[in-house]
C-alpha cells in the first residue's frame, strides 16, 4: 500500500517525464507501469471533480500555509536545495517539499536533462559529484536531490575526476553502475539504429534521383 505522498511523487515525475511510465518506474523503483497510469487517471478525476481518491479522506493539513510559504521562500533563497531546506527548517519531508515547490513555485523546478553544459556552477557540480561518490543510498537518490539525471551525474563525475576514479564499493554501487552501463549501451544501440535508418533513406534518395535523371 503506497501513501498519498508516494503516489503524488510518482505522478509528478510521470508528468515531468512527458508521461513516460517506463522512465518513471525505472527511476523510482515503483509501482508497475500499469498501476502508475491508473494513479494518473485517478489524479485527473480528482482534479476535475474535487473528490479525493478512494481510500483517502480530507484531513486537517499538517502544516499551515505560512509554514509552506516559509519553506518555499527558504528553498528559493538558499540555492534551491531540498535537502538543505528540510535540514535547516526541520520540516517537511523531502517529497512533501517537492510537492509544495511544484505547487507554489513550479518555474523553479530544475529540468530533467541537467547536462554538463547547462548553466550550473562548478561548485554545484562538485557538490553533486562528492555526494555521488560518498553516498549511502543509490545514485538515483543523489541525482533526484540535485535535479539531474543519473547519466548526467556520472558525466559530471567523469569530467571532474575521470572515469578511473573509484567510488563506493558495495553491492548498491555495483548495481547502480550496472544499471547505468545497461542504459548507456541501450542508448548507443538506439543511436546506431537511427544512423543506419538515415543512411538507408539517403541511399534511396540517391537512387531515386538517378532514376529521375
Amino acid at each position: 500500500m503506497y501513501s498519498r505522498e508516494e503516489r503524488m511523487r510518482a505522478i509528478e515525475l510521470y508528468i515531468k517525464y512527458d508521461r513516460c511510465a517506463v522512465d518513471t518506474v525505472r527511476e523510482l523503483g515503483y509501482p508497475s507501469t500499469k498501476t502508475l497510469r491508473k494513479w494518473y487517471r485517478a489524479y485527473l478525476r480528482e482534479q476535475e471533480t474535487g473528490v479525493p481518491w478512494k481510500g483517502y479522506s480530507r484531513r486537517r493539513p499538517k502544516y499551515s500555509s505560512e509554514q509552506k510559504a516559509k519553506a518555499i521562500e527558504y528553498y528559493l533563497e538558499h540555492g534551491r536545495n531540498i535537502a538543505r531546506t528540510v535540514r535547516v527548517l526541520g520540516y517537511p519531508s523531502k517529497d512533501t517539499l517537492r510537492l509544495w515547490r511544484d505547487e507554489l513555485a513550479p518555474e523553479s523546478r530544475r529540468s530533467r536533462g541537467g547536462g554538463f553544459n547547462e548553466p550550473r556552477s562548478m561548485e554545484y557540480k562538485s557538490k553533486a559529484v562528492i555526494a555521488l561518490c560518498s553516498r549511502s543510498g543509490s545514485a538515483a537518490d543523489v541525482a533526484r536531490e540535485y535535479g539531474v539525471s543519473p547519466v548526467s551525474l556520472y558525466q559530471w563525475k567523469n569530467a571532474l575526476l575521470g572515469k578511473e576514479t573509484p567510488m563506493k564499493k558495495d553491492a548498491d554501487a555495483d548495481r547502480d553502475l550496472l544499471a547505468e552501463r545497461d542504459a548507456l549501451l541501450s542508448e548507443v544501440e538506439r543511436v546506431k539504429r537511427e544512423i543506419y535508418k538515415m543512411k538507408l533513406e539517403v541511399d534511396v534518395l540517391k537512387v531515386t534521383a538517378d532514376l529521375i535523371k
Side-chain angles (χ1 to χ4, degrees):
M1 180 67 178
Y2 294 97
S3 67
R4 182 177 178 85
E5 281 190 3
E6 288 173 321
R7 292 189 180 197
M8 289 305 301
R9 177 182 177 185
I11 290 170
E12 289 290 335
L13 196 63
Y14 179 60
I15 295 172
K16 180 180 178 182
Y17 285 3
D18 300 322
R19 293 186 292 280
C20 180
V22 174
D23 286 351
T24 303
V25 173
R26 181 185 298 120
E27 178 159 332
L28 293 179
Y30 75 90
S32 65
T33 55
K34 181 178 180 180
T35 298
L36 177 58
R37 294 187 181 99
K38 181 179 178 181
W39 288 357
Y40 181 64
R41 290 193 295 270
Y43 166 76
L44 292 179
R45 285 196 298 272
E46 181 182 280
Q47 297 299 303
E48 293 174 357
T49 65
V51 178
W53 294 0
K54 184 178 181 181
Y56 294 98
S57 58
R58 293 188 181 277
R59 295 179 294 178
R60 185 176 180 178
K62 184 177 180 181
Y63 300 101
S64 66
S65 57
E66 289 77 12
Q67 287 175 306
K68 291 173 64 175
K70 179 181 179 181
I72 294 302
E73 181 180 2
Y74 188 94
Y75 165 78
L76 293 174
E77 294 181 356
H78 293 81
R80 301 185 182 184
N81 187 295
I82 287 178
R84 181 187 300 125
T85 302
V86 172
R87 183 173 64 251
V88 172
L89 297 182
Y91 76 93
S93 68
K94 293 179 182 178
D95 290 339
T96 298
L97 183 57
R98 289 188 183 95
L99 293 177
W100 292 357
R101 174 201 62 190
D102 294 344
E103 174 189 352
L104 301 177
E107 71 285 351
S108 70
R109 184 169 58 187
R110 298 187 180 100
S111 64
R112 179 185 178 188
F116 198 76
N117 292 324
E118 286 193 25
R120 305 284 178 84
S121 69
M122 188 59 65
E123 179 184 3
Y124 186 89
K125 294 174 182 178
S126 299
K127 288 181 178 179
V129 170
I130 291 172
L132 171 69
C133 295
S134 61
R135 69 189 186 278
S136 59
S138 68
D141 290 336
V142 178
R144 189 159 46 243
E145 179 176 335
Y146 282 85
V148 298
S149 69
V151 172
S152 295
L153 194 56
Y154 279 110
Q155 288 175 345
W156 292 1
K157 177 262 178 187
N158 293 338
L160 292 173
L161 301 178
K163 293 182 179 180
E164 68 281 357
T165 301
M167 295 191 298
K168 175 178 151 243
K169 295 294 182 182
D170 60 19
D172 288 340
D174 290 341
R175 283 195 295 271
D176 289 338
L177 289 174
L178 287 174
E180 292 302 326
R181 183 202 63 184
D182 292 343
L184 290 172
L185 288 175
S186 177
E187 180 64 15
V188 168
E189 289 301 318
R190 186 190 67 79
V191 172
K192 286 182 177 179
R193 289 195 298 271
E194 288 296 322
I195 292 174
Y196 181 69
K197 180 181 177 182
M198 293 174 63
K199 183 178 182 301
L200 289 177
E201 292 175 350
V202 170
D203 291 341
V204 169
L205 288 174
K206 287 181 178 180
V207 172
T208 302
D210 290 340
L211 290 174
I212 293 175
K213 290 179 181 180

